[in-house]
Amino acid sequence: MMLTRVTSLLALAAACASALSPLRAPGLARARSAFSVRVTRKTEDHTIKEEGEPLTLETVAGYWELQEAEDDMTAHTLVHLLPGGGVDLGKTDGPVPEDFVGAWRVLDESTWDFELTLKRTFADGRFPYNVERTYSGFIEDGGSLRTVEGKITIDDQARGPIEAGYFCLTNVQDFPDDEEAAE
């Protein structure tokens, strides 16, 4: 089981690292994941330019793809970080929650220390149960490609925070429709 967890974490880390590598192909380039589509454009001097806004609290709010690895399970979920610190969840390839509550914040604008908390309610037969996770990391700004990588923790009342896994958030332009996400 530990080997499977390590393999899953390494696969997720590789996916996050490849999302950060610069595009080298000339012309129109598209980087895809299970949900996101990123488009860059060719400039007059035939170089690739990634379009983006400067990193501010206002530009952190928006659409993101959450890739999470915990134990032997990985999942991708579309997340909308709302300007007031709230969260909306979109399409997921993981378990679909019956309900959720979420909040995000930047703890320190000088280091872009980021925290996202999600409490999801699932129904297993007759009994609903809650799963609460905190995602902590630092926002990395690569122009139009922004990522947050870090650890997933569970707040255990008896033992304190327990590291449960690894995550990567990648900004996307918007929530793709069902047909585009299925490609």
Side-chain angles (χ1 to χ4, degrees):
M1 179 146 127
M2 184 61 158
L3 180 60
T4 305
R5 180 177 182 190
V6 169
T7 304
S8 296
L9 292 175
L10 289 174
L12 182 57
C16 288
S18 69
L20 294 174
S21 65
L23 296 172
R24 295 188 178 120
L28 185 65
R30 295 167 72 97
R32 287 182 173 243
S33 72
F35 299 100
S36 65
V37 176
R38 179 169 324 287
V39 178
T40 58
R41 67 178 174 83
K42 184 177 171 181
T43 62
E44 285 185 26
D45 64 354
H46 303 289
T47 59
I48 297 296
K49 177 176 176 154
E50 293 189 14
E51 300 177 353
E53 299 177 61
L55 183 59
T56 64
L57 282 177
E58 290 79 28
T59 60
V60 172
Y63 300 105
W64 295 76
E65 178 183 353
L66 172 63
Q67 302 169 49
E68 51 190 319
E70 190 175 327
D71 293 325
D72 61 348
M73 187 176 145
T74 61
H76 296 77
T77 304
L78 290 172
V79 177
H80 186 189
L81 301 179
L82 301 171
V87 176
D88 276 338
L89 295 181
K91 188 176 182 80
T92 184
D93 65 357
V96 178
E98 297 281 321
D99 195 17
F100 68 90
V101 174
W104 69 274
R105 63 188 176 146
V106 172
L107 301 170
D108 183 351
E109 286 185 58
S110 66
T111 61
W112 292 103
D113 189 4
F114 176 87
E115 183 178 86
L116 168 67
T117 302
L118 292 175
K119 182 178 182 180
R120 297 177 244 194
T121 302
F122 298 95
D124 183 20
R126 299 179 299 180
F127 303 104
Y129 61 96
N130 295 319
V131 174
E132 186 169 350
R133 300 290 186 263
T134 300
Y135 304 81
S136 303
F138 295 91
I139 300 172
E140 296 290 331
D141 185 17
S144 70
L145 178 63
R146 293 196 174 105
T147 60
V148 182
E149 296 181 20
K151 61 184 176 178
I152 303 170
T153 56
I154 301 168
D155 189 22
D156 185 293
Q157 293 178 348
R159 298 184 294 176
I162 299 171
E163 193 168 325
Y166 177 81
F167 81 97
C168 179
L169 272 170
T170 306
N171 71 313
V172 294
Q173 294 178 357
D174 57 14
F175 279 10
D177 60 26
D178 288 340
E179 291 175 19
E180 190 174 339
E183 291 178 7

